């Protein structure tokens, strides 16, 4: 029997960025409260730094909040039995991976990860700018986690966290996010690397495209750049949120965060999303994307 879903009173979604520098237009923080009220941006108009997001989580986060980060909380492990096969210092768990990345980059400002991806032992596993594809990258689209295979079965097109090239790459944002997760120091549990607590706040990985799919948008049309598009998505039955005021254009980072905060409010009540097929084998190594299931291709779900 599937255990019941946890209870939360607030639902935050953070659109993240791994770009160089201190402050980023690509970071947006939104929150929705229990009920059906419209989600809202936290500090609207503010250009966040990654350090400020960490500080907000540690000091200003409301109690009993489900926090979704749009990044990968780990790297592929199950496919090769290791994050970095043949590297003697390859970590055994997601938490030890976060610690390794942060230790190598400890003096790099703004939670940057350049020193890690250029590290002589790590670089062979990444595809980097300038045509520098490491011998251990794996070719093609690169290596994928089990949860990313599940996303693919839902009609999405995930990117490997070992890929650091292209406008849609997620590698650097994921690696910088892992530094943040390490610096949380266990003060906020990170599901499923950590078990769900009976009460309190929890951090999960999200993929904003899953919220867009739930709202009836196609994977290739997940971005919303007008208030009208966003309010149509918020009104979808799976979201069931009051609309936002205003009209005209909206930044797609803000719209991603706003829609996903409202989606989390509904999705978090589904017990099955907390217990997807294949989770147990990878929970402490690869983690999982909350909301990822074996939708269109259940036959590929791990036993």
């Amino acid at each position: 029997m599937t255990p019941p879903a946890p209870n939360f009173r607030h639902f935050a979604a953070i659109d993240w960025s791994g770009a160089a520098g201190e402050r980023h237009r690509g970071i947006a923080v939104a929150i929705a409260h229990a009920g059906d009220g419209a989600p809202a941006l936290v500090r609207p108009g503010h250009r966040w730094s990654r350090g400020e997001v960490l500080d907000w989580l540690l000091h200003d986060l409301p109690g009993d909040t489900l926090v979704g980060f749009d990044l990968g909380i780990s790297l592929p492990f199950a496919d090769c039995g290791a994050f970095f096969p043949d590297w003697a210092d390859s970590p055994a768990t997601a938490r030890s991976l976060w610690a390794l990345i942060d230790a190598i980059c400890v003096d790099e400002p703004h939670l940057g990860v350049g020193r890690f991806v250029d590290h002589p032992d790590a670089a062979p596993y990444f595809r980097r700018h300038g045509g520098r594809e490491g011998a251990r990258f794996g070719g093609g689209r690169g290596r994928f986690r089990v949860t990313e295979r599940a996303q693919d079965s839902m009609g999405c097109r995930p990117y490997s966290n070992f890929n650091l090239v292209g406008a849609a790459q997620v590698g650097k944002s994921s690696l910088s996010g892992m530094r943040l997760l390490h610096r949380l120091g266990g003060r906020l549990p990170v599901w499923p690397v950590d078990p769900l607590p009976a009460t309190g706040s929890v951090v999960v990985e999200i993929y904003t495209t899953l919220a867009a799919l739930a709202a009836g948008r196609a994977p290739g049309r997940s971005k919303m750049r007008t208030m009208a598009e966003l309010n149509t998505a918020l009104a979808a039955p799976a979201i069931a949120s009051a609309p936002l005021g205003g009209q005209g254009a909206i930044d797609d980072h803000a719209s991603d965060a706003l829609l996903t905060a409202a989606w989390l409010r509904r999705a978090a009540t589904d017990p099955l999303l907390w217990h997807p097929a294949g989770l147990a084998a990878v929970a402490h190594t690869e983690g999982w994307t909350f909301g990822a299931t074996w939708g269109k291709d259940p036959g590929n779900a791990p036993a």
Side-chain angles (χ1 to χ4, degrees):
M1 182 175 180
T2 303
N7 291 316
F8 298 100
R9 295 186 294 125
H10 312 281
F11 306 85
I14 300 171
D15 203 36
W16 190 242
S17 172
E22 181 179 6
R23 298 185 178 276
H24 305 281
R25 293 180 61 188
I27 297 178
V29 182
I31 194 162
H33 307 293
D36 60 4
L41 291 174
V42 178
R43 302 180 196 172
H46 180 66
R47 185 170 290 194
W48 290 82
S49 70
R50 288 183 282 265
E52 285 177 333
V53 175
L54 175 60
D55 186 72
W56 181 76
L57 289 170
L58 291 175
H59 302 293
D60 298 321
L61 185 71
D64 298 320
T65 299
L66 176 60
V67 182
F69 263 97
D70 187 26
L71 52 84
I73 63 172
S74 191
L75 295 173
F77 186 100
D79 61 337
C80 297
F83 295 120
F84 307 103
D86 301 326
W87 181 10
D89 292 331
S90 183
T93 66
R95 280 203 169 275
S96 56
L97 173 65
W98 306 342
L100 175 67
I101 296 168
D102 196 57
I104 290 174
C105 302
V106 65
D107 295 325
E108 191 166 348
H110 318 310
L111 298 180
V113 293
R115 292 179 187 174
F116 183 74
V117 300
D118 291 334
H119 188 280
D121 291 313
Y125 297 88
F126 291 95
R127 175 185 283 156
R128 296 176 291 161
H129 290 284
R132 296 174 298 167
E133 182 172 311
R136 303 304 300 267
F137 176 75
R141 295 169 62 201
R143 295 169 58 198
F144 287 93
R145 297 182 294 159
V146 174
T147 189
E148 290 150 358
R149 288 170 46 208
Q151 293 171 24
D152 192 66
S153 80
M154 299 172 75
C156 301
R157 186 173 174 82
Y159 283 76
S160 171
N161 285 331
F162 281 117
N163 176 43
L164 310 178
V165 178
Q169 63 89 11
V170 294
K172 283 191 174 179
S173 66
S174 295
L175 294 169
S176 67
M178 293 178 212
R179 290 194 66 189
L180 179 145
L181 295 176
H182 176 68
R183 293 187 174 208
L184 285 175
R187 284 167 285 185
L188 280 176
V190 180
W191 177 88
V193 173
D194 303 314
L196 278 173
T199 60
S201 298
V202 175
V203 171
V204 299
E205 172 184 331
I206 55 173
Y207 183 24
T208 58
T209 297
L210 297 183
L213 289 175
R217 299 184 67 86
R221 297 183 56 254
S222 64
K223 298 301 181 184
M224 297 155 290
R225 296 182 174 87
T226 68
M227 291 298 296
E229 287 182 303
L230 175 57
N231 281 330
T232 296
L234 289 170
I239 312 296
S241 171
L244 283 87
Q247 56 185 350
I250 184 171
D251 177 87
D252 59 20
H253 302 292
S255 64
D256 280 349
L258 288 161
L259 178 65
T260 307
W263 169 76
L264 279 172
R265 180 167 56 193
R266 306 302 174 206
T269 65
D270 184 347
L272 295 178
L273 295 184
W274 295 100
H275 303 278
L279 174 65
V282 297
H284 303 300
T285 54
E286 296 189 349
W288 199 265
T289 309
F290 180 74
T293 62
W294 299 90
K296 293 184 178 179
D297 197 4
N300 281 340

